[in-house]
Amino acid sequence: MIVILAEKPSVAREIASLVGAKTKKEGYIEGNGYCVTWAIGHLVSLAMPEDYGFQGFKKEALPILPRSYLLLPRKIKKANKYTSDPSALKQLKVIDRLFKTCSEIIVATDAGREGELIFRYIYQYLNCNKPFKRLWISSLTETAINNGLQNLKEGSDFDGLFRAGHSRSRADWLVGINASQALTVSMNDSVYSLGRVQTPTLSLICKRYLENIAFKKKLYYQIELVHQKEGSVFKSLSDEKWNSKSKAEQALKLLQKQSEAKIEKVEVKTVREESPLLFDLTSLQKRANELYGFSADETLSIAQSLYEKKFITYPRTSSKYIPEDLWSEIPNLLKVFSDNKRYSNLLLRLRLVRLNKKIVNNLKVTDHHGLLTTDRFPSAINAKEESIYHLIAQRVLESVFDPCVKKQTEVTLNVLDYEFSLKTSSIIELGWREIRKELSSDEDLIASLPELKQGDKLKIKESIALEKATRPKALYTESTLLSAMETASKEIDNKSLQSVIKDMGIGTAATRASIIETLLKRDYIIRKAKSLVPTDKGLKVYEIVKDKLISDVLLTAKWESAFKDIEDNKTHMEDFHQQIEDYTTEITTELLAIKSSNEADHLSCPKCKAHALQLRDKILKCLEPDCNWSLFRNVCGIKLSISDINDLLKQGRTSLLKGLISKSEKKFDAYIVLKQDYTTSFDFKE
């Protein structure tokens, strides 16, 4: 019996129908010599600190550097504690029984780093040693699955992919756990969350925001001339920019007396604007954010749904190209559009025998090729899925059309020794832009100029002084943040370093959306219109760590490159892990050295008298789990200040608290006193 392990039940059902497994059982589908089961995402993950015996956030326990990493079933939070997820335990038992009784395993989790990690962690946790092969496909169509099953790959071919995924997982664990605990212990006023990619991304957002609000605009002035020739009206702009309004007005008075400008130079170029490449996930997310305002996470979710419905290929790709052997399939994919009115006219004009092969490049195809539609045209999909599908379909069509040919004209004019310039661009051959012109209205074509020659005189219809202002760099939107994460080297101030780490990014196409969502969930950033803006909490974290190693965009970008080297066997996994441990020790020491400004930092627990208290936003609590004394800061509508807490712990009572609100919503004044059993109560005595 052969076991096939898919990542989700929906994919398992598709595969089961193709291999002849029809009998539904608890947690799997059986038949024709196959048992097809599923993982439901990450069933197994790295154990948390408490699983190694580290309870609470304790300075003396940091850094936590496990000698070996435990794998445990997925946990869920229940009553403020993490316990094993019952559904994960149940499915693991099913998989364990099937693995023990099968002759061979076929791995059918998503064909990427995360999918490989999901299977390998299950395989290792269950102590399985059965042979396994890999189903490596880029779409879930019947043809793709059948071809994949007939051409299974050796499981060992993907050992490098697993090592890269495991290295990334351990690095995120080490940095995230230790940095978060170290800063929380140091500040002693809240629980902080830091991460290997999360914190550099927050730094990008905060730095841009602070630059934006601190920016002081400077006014400057230019003069615009309005010209008319052969019925066409067009404008030129002064090359000179005046910082003084009076000097600009002085120049304007002289120019208003002139009726003609002399054409000093006319430069005409014919340029080819190449068709765009296919979408990878990041470029799809950027485009969907620009056009529809979809978040990166939302776009990924929609694309994943389209993939599972067999309408597009695997979405978590970082490539914009296809391999040579897939090129012969492109005409068949395009013919799928022929019955759709949206595309039928365009296909008539697209000569299928002369498609543009720009997207073919074997060397630039990573784990998966660029995003393609499949041989199935969608029906019964929702409006958002339709938007993303047609965005991908349009890009596929654009990518195989001829280049757009433009005529670009640059004209230099002279009036009273003042130079003016105008630039225009006109379309000679639409090429791929014909598709964008017909299918969307987001780009208007630029009208052409009348014929202009060097030495000719050009009439001036009007002269106008324009007041302009310098602008700050715009706040990040999800689209521009994705670009910044993808090309993090451009955000480095050191220009010499930029060339060294060119094209390095932070995060991957598959993880950037989740990083942004994590920052939103942590309340470090919010969405404001289309922009991503840091909260006070996010800015506070940034100010604390901005000069620390944990915020280093450059270092994080280098690590992403290291994971690829591990996958390609260019870097040894354990050597890299030692580097991460050294780094973790360094950042932990650095973060523990931060001194909090809280006055309650040095207070001891009134109950056990031995341990320090941790001051958080909503609670004051003892760090000793066996003691676990706590005091809620919000009392009857009033939040206890640090001064109130100091008075309570040192003198046994607060100062008089005014404006407390009872359950019956009546206002009252009272002291809070600490009783002999270390609980608190109200005292109404004057």
Side-chain angles (χ1 to χ4, degrees):
M1 182 262 287
I2 297 173
V3 169
I4 300 177
L5 178 67
E7 193 165 316
K8 293 181 179 179
S10 58
V11 178
R13 288 193 291 269
E14 292 291 340
I15 295 173
S17 67
L18 293 177
V19 299
K22 298 179 180 178
T23 306
K24 293 181 180 178
K25 298 287 184 78
E26 189 71 37
Y28 66 101
I29 307 168
E30 185 178 32
N32 197 29
Y34 289 93
C35 284
V36 185
T37 187
W38 48 85
I40 326 175
H42 286 270
L43 288 179
V44 175
S45 57
L46 297 180
M48 297 306 288
E50 54 267 27
D51 299 312
Y52 297 96
F54 298 103
Q55 298 294 329
F57 289 30
K58 295 183 179 179
K59 183 175 182 178
E60 58 271 19
L62 299 173
I64 302 168
L65 306 172
R67 291 185 179 179
S68 61
Y69 287 79
L70 299 175
L71 292 172
L72 291 177
R74 181 174 62 219
K75 292 189 174 185
I76 54 173
K77 197 169 186 179
K78 202 171 183 180
N80 291 325
K81 288 186 178 180
Y82 283 94
T83 58
S84 295
D85 183 351
S87 64
L89 292 173
K90 184 178 178 182
Q91 189 61 16
L92 280 169
K93 283 182 181 178
V94 172
I95 297 169
D96 188 29
R97 181 165 55 81
L98 293 175
F99 278 8
K100 284 175 178 174
T101 55
C102 73
S103 58
E104 184 183 325
I105 299 166
I106 295 175
V107 185
T109 49
D110 282 356
R113 188 188 288 174
E114 283 305 298
E116 190 67 24
L117 198 63
I118 285 170
F119 163 69
R120 297 289 185 115
Y121 276 3
I122 292 172
Y123 186 80
Q124 288 186 3
Y125 174 72
L126 297 176
N127 291 314
C128 185
N129 56 11
K130 294 285 177 73
F132 62 89
K133 291 192 175 179
R134 194 59 161 100
L135 175 69
W136 192 265
I137 53 177
S138 287
S139 78
L140 292 175
T141 61
E142 185 175 328
T143 302
I145 294 172
N146 281 328
N147 286 341
L149 289 170
Q150 290 168 19
N151 297 281
L152 292 170
K153 299 179 182 293
E154 290 298 325
S156 58
D157 291 350
F158 300 91
D159 287 351
L161 189 65
F162 165 63
R163 285 193 295 269
H166 187 41
S167 296
R168 193 271 307 154
S169 185
R170 291 194 301 182
D172 286 348
W173 192 100
L174 282 170
V175 175
I177 295 291
N178 285 289
S180 298
Q181 291 203 14
L183 186 58
T184 299
V185 168
S186 282
M187 296 306 295
N188 197 26
D189 62 355
S190 184
V191 176
Y192 291 89
S193 170
L194 301 179
R196 184 182 61 84
V197 182
Q198 171 191 322
T199 305
T201 304
L202 175 64
S203 294
L204 289 175
I205 297 168
C206 290
K207 184 180 177 185
R208 176 63 61 86
Y209 172 77
L210 292 171
E211 286 174 350
N212 186 281
I213 62 172
F215 183 83
K216 293 183 179 179
K217 69 178 183 180
K218 293 180 180 178
L219 296 178
Y220 66 95
Y221 303 86
Q222 284 181 280
I223 295 175
E224 181 182 81
L225 303 180
V226 181
H227 308 284
Q228 187 171 14
K229 183 178 181 181
E230 298 172 7
S232 294
V233 176
F234 46 96
K235 299 171 182 178
S236 63
L237 194 64
S238 64
D239 292 352
E240 187 169 349
K241 297 175 183 178
W242 289 270
N243 293 324
S244 164
K245 185 177 181 179
S246 60
K247 287 184 178 179
E249 288 174 342
Q250 191 177 356
L252 179 65
K253 286 179 183 178
L254 294 172
L255 289 164
Q256 284 175 333
K257 296 176 182 178
Q258 305 302 309
S259 60
E260 290 182 333
K262 183 181 178 181
I263 300 174
E264 294 285 341
K265 186 169 69 172
V266 178
E267 191 174 353
V268 180
K269 294 178 184 176
T270 300
V271 296
R272 286 162 56 95
E273 185 183 18
E274 294 293 337
S275 56
L277 296 168
L278 297 171
F279 282 126
D280 62 2
L281 176 59
T282 301
S283 57
L284 175 67
Q285 289 167 320
K286 287 160 58 178
R287 189 73 173 149
N289 182 253
E290 292 162 4
L291 291 182
Y292 311 122
F294 293 171
S295 71
D297 191 59
E298 187 177 16
T299 298
L300 175 55
S301 177
I302 296 167
Q304 183 69 22
S305 175
L306 289 170
Y307 167 67
E308 290 173 16
K309 291 175 181 177
K310 307 180 186 180
F311 298 133
I312 65 168
T313 57
Y314 186 65
R316 287 176 166 85
T317 177
S318 56
S319 177
K320 299 179 180 181
Y321 297 86
I322 62 170
E324 181 71 43
D325 59 11
L326 193 57
W327 176 248
S328 60
E329 296 296 317
I330 297 299
N332 296 327
L333 298 183
L334 297 177
K335 285 175 184 175
V336 173
F337 304 140
S338 59
D339 294 332
N340 186 272
K341 291 180 181 178
R342 186 183 182 107
Y343 301 107
S344 54
N345 290 335
L346 288 167
L347 288 172
L348 289 174
R349 279 171 263 173
L350 181 62
R351 293 166 292 180
L352 295 181
V353 293
R354 292 187 60 190
L355 299 178
N356 185 347
K357 283 188 74 173
K358 181 186 174 186
I359 58 174
V360 176
N361 191 325
N362 287 343
L363 296 176
K364 293 190 177 181
V365 175
T366 52
D367 292 340
H368 293 278
H369 54 69
L371 265 166
L372 293 171
T373 49
T374 65
D375 57 6
R376 296 183 59 175
F377 196 83
S379 58
I381 58 175
N382 62 45
K384 288 185 175 181
E385 287 177 331
E386 193 171 344
S387 296
I388 294 298
Y389 177 82
H390 288 300
L391 207 54
I392 296 167
Q394 178 178 325
R395 180 55 63 90
V396 171
L397 278 167
E398 288 174 351
S399 71
V400 296
F401 253 72
D402 289 332
C404 170
V405 182
K406 294 180 177 181
K407 182 175 81 171
Q408 291 184 346
T409 306
E410 294 186 21
V411 182
T412 303
L413 307 172
N414 188 285
V415 187
L416 296 177
D417 291 330
Y418 292 109
E419 286 202 342
F420 290 78
S421 301
L422 64 98
K423 298 177 183 179
T424 63
S425 179
S426 58
I427 303 287
I428 299 172
E429 295 176 23
L430 275 167
W432 66 270
R433 282 195 172 274
E434 186 168 0
I435 296 168
R436 194 162 292 189
K437 176 173 171 282
E438 290 212 1
L439 297 184
S440 67
S441 58
D442 65 315
E443 292 196 30
D444 295 319
L445 302 180
I446 303 166
S448 59
L449 286 170
E451 186 178 355
L452 301 174
K453 293 180 182 177
Q454 184 175 339
D456 284 358
K457 301 287 186 179
L458 195 59
K459 286 186 178 179
I460 301 173
K461 187 179 179 183
E462 189 178 3
S463 303
I464 309 162
L466 303 177
E467 182 179 272
K468 297 186 176 185
T470 55
R471 294 182 181 180
K473 289 182 179 179
L475 296 173
Y476 281 120
T477 62
E478 286 208 34
S479 175
T480 56
L481 179 61
L482 287 167
S483 291
M485 294 174 75
E486 188 177 29
T487 56
S489 60
K490 293 180 181 177
E491 302 302 316
I492 307 291
D493 293 330
N494 189 323
K495 299 297 179 185
S496 60
L497 277 177
Q498 280 188 9
S499 59
V500 176
I501 61 164
K502 187 182 179 184
D503 299 328
M504 283 188 186
I506 57 175
T508 64
T511 61
R512 288 177 190 127
S514 66
I515 294 297
I516 296 171
E517 290 302 311
T518 296
L519 292 172
L520 288 161
K521 286 173 186 173
R522 302 287 187 216
D523 193 32
Y524 285 169
I525 63 172
I526 57 170
R527 291 188 177 98
K528 195 172 183 180
K530 284 190 173 183
S531 299
L532 294 173
V533 176
T535 61
D536 289 343
K537 185 178 180 182
L539 286 169
K540 179 181 178 181
V541 172
Y542 171 68
E543 288 298 331
I544 295 167
V545 302
K546 65 181 179 182
D547 299 321
K548 306 291 185 287
L549 280 171
I550 187 69
S551 294
D552 194 337
V553 174
L554 169 59
L555 198 56
T556 306
K558 284 182 176 178
W559 283 348
E560 296 297 345
S561 181
F563 295 140
K564 188 70 178 89
D565 287 343
I566 290 168
E567 182 180 336
D568 296 336
N569 291 318
K570 294 177 182 175
T571 298
H572 195 275
M573 182 174 71
E574 293 308 323
D575 290 342
F576 173 75
H577 186 65
Q578 184 59 55
Q579 291 177 31
I580 293 292
E581 284 197 343
D582 292 344
Y583 167 82
T584 300
T585 301
E586 195 171 351
I587 61 165
T588 303
T589 303
E590 196 174 46
L591 292 169
L592 286 173
I594 294 171
K595 298 296 181 186
S596 172
S597 60
N598 290 327
E599 295 173 28
D601 276 354
H602 306 295
L603 292 175
S604 296
C605 174
K607 183 179 178 182
C608 70
K609 306 285 193 301
H611 292 87
L613 293 172
Q614 184 177 72
L615 181 68
R616 299 183 182 177
D617 186 51
K618 296 180 180 179
I619 194 171
L620 181 73
K621 65 181 293 186
C622 180
L623 290 171
E624 173 53 48
D626 293 335
C627 172
N628 207 26
W629 181 85
S630 63
L631 172 72
F632 287 100
R633 294 183 66 181
N634 291 314
V635 181
C636 294
I638 286 184
K639 184 175 180 179
L640 298 179
S641 68
I642 292 173
S643 177
D644 293 329
I645 292 167
N646 274 308
D647 289 344
L648 179 66
L649 297 178
K650 290 179 179 178
Q651 300 171 24
R653 64 189 284 143
T654 65
S655 57
L656 184 65
L657 301 176
K658 296 183 178 182
L660 296 163
I661 301 173
S662 69
K663 289 182 180 179
S664 59
E665 298 189 357
K666 292 181 179 179
K667 288 190 175 183
F668 67 98
D669 301 339
Y671 301 92
I672 294 178
V673 296
L674 188 65
K675 298 194 295 185
Q676 288 186 344
D677 64 355
Y678 308 108
T679 61
T680 57
S681 65
F682 290 117
D683 184 357
F684 300 96
K685 297 174 184 176
E686 286 298 332

